[in-house]
Amino acid sequence: MYRIGLTGGVGSGKSTVSSYLKELGIPIIDGDRLAREAVIPGGPAMVKIREEFGDDIFLPDGNLNRLKVGEIVFTDEAKRQKLNGIIHPFIWHRTWEELIRAQEEGYEIAVLDMPLLLEISWQLRVEEVWLVEVPLEIQIQRVMARDNFTRAQVLERIGKQMPTENKMNYADVIIDNSHSIEETRAQVRKALEHVPGFVFPE
């Protein structure tokens, strides 16, 4: 199966590209969805998280206290790495299951939609990497508008991801998502022309 790793920084508009690929009939493995699945109360990842971090980061209903988790991942690098070390193996296990299912259903191509694809070296697990990028100022303004964050909060989150300039070194395809949706879609169609086994739907 030909695997495309789709990634991009916060506010880059990666979901715009992912949605279009889905429209074209390509199965999408959504890393954000699998990350949420990893922290369902009572799941194996949650048991390990409780063992590692204690009860303080849990709400009474068993869900993670996202505010406290945010404090961990954005202020304590060592704890962030520990948390990722618990969640990411679960995400890869589920990703592999979904890849196998897609293959059994006859798909020759799948997209791994993963925000941290490069940060956790998953470029080694795909045939090519697609990077969605926009200029930094557009990125900042989009996240401020979407999440009601201050500029400082957005910059803090961007700072926790690999710089876009570094990501470009790993990218086989770079999609500029700073213009119209149709321009973005045109870039996606052009990139798909060289993907083995892909046929545009009628």
Side-chain angles (χ1 to χ4, degrees), residues 8 36 117 140 178:
R36 291 192 296 271
L117 183 90
I140 293 168
S178 62

Side-chain angles (χ1 to χ4, degrees), residues 95-136:
T95 296
W96 188 248
E97 287 181 341
E98 295 203 5
L99 283 169
I100 291 172
R101 184 174 65 186
Q103 192 167 28
E104 289 174 345
E105 291 174 355
Y107 292 100
E108 296 183 21
I109 305 161
V111 170
L112 279 61
D113 180 350
M114 304 284 169
L116 299 179
L117 183 90
L118 298 174
E119 284 85 347
I120 57 178
S121 299
W122 280 19
Q123 73 272 14
L124 303 174
R125 293 173 167 174
V126 296
E127 275 62 56
E128 61 181 79
V129 173
W130 288 20
L131 173 66
V132 184
E133 63 91 21
V134 294
L136 178 60

Side-chain angles (χ1 to χ4, degrees), residues 4 20-21 24 128 130 172-175 182-196 198 200:
I4 298 170
Y20 186 46
L21 290 167
L24 293 172
E128 61 181 79
W130 288 20
D172 300 287
V173 172
I174 298 174
I175 296 173
E182 187 46 51
E183 286 178 278
T184 296
R185 289 185 167 204
Q187 292 174 70
V188 171
R189 290 193 295 271
K190 183 177 180 181
L192 285 170
E193 289 175 358
H194 77 269
V195 173
F198 179 74
F200 284 95

Side-chain angles (χ1 to χ4, degrees), residues 18-133:
S18 181
S19 296
Y20 186 46
L21 290 167
K22 188 174 182 179
E23 282 182 35
L24 293 172
I26 301 173
I28 307 296
I29 300 172
D30 184 344
D32 284 337
R33 175 177 60 79
L34 295 181
R36 291 192 296 271
E37 187 180 305
V39 295
I40 292 173
M46 290 288 267
V47 172
K48 292 182 179 179
I49 291 171
R50 191 181 291 273
E51 289 174 356
E52 184 66 44
F53 294 96
D55 296 332
D56 288 347
I57 65 169
F58 287 85
L59 296 169
D61 63 3
N63 282 293
L64 284 176
N65 183 326
R66 296 194 177 276
L67 185 62
K68 290 192 175 181
V69 171
E71 291 173 0
I72 288 174
V73 300
F74 290 114
T75 61
D76 191 320
E77 180 63 20
K79 287 184 177 179
R80 185 173 75 87
Q81 293 291 348
K82 283 184 179 179
L83 187 63
N84 287 343
I86 295 170
I87 292 175
H88 290 160
F90 173 88
I91 294 174
W92 176 246
H93 174 73
R94 288 288 294 110
T95 296
W96 188 248
E97 287 181 341
E98 295 203 5
L99 283 169
I100 291 172
R101 184 174 65 186
Q103 192 167 28
E104 289 174 345
E105 291 174 355
Y107 292 100
E108 296 183 21
I109 305 161
V111 170
L112 279 61
D113 180 350
M114 304 284 169
L116 299 179
L117 183 90
L118 298 174
E119 284 85 347
I120 57 178
S121 299
W122 280 19
Q123 73 272 14
L124 303 174
R125 293 173 167 174
V126 296
E127 275 62 56
E128 61 181 79
V129 173
W130 288 20
L131 173 66
V132 184
E133 63 91 21

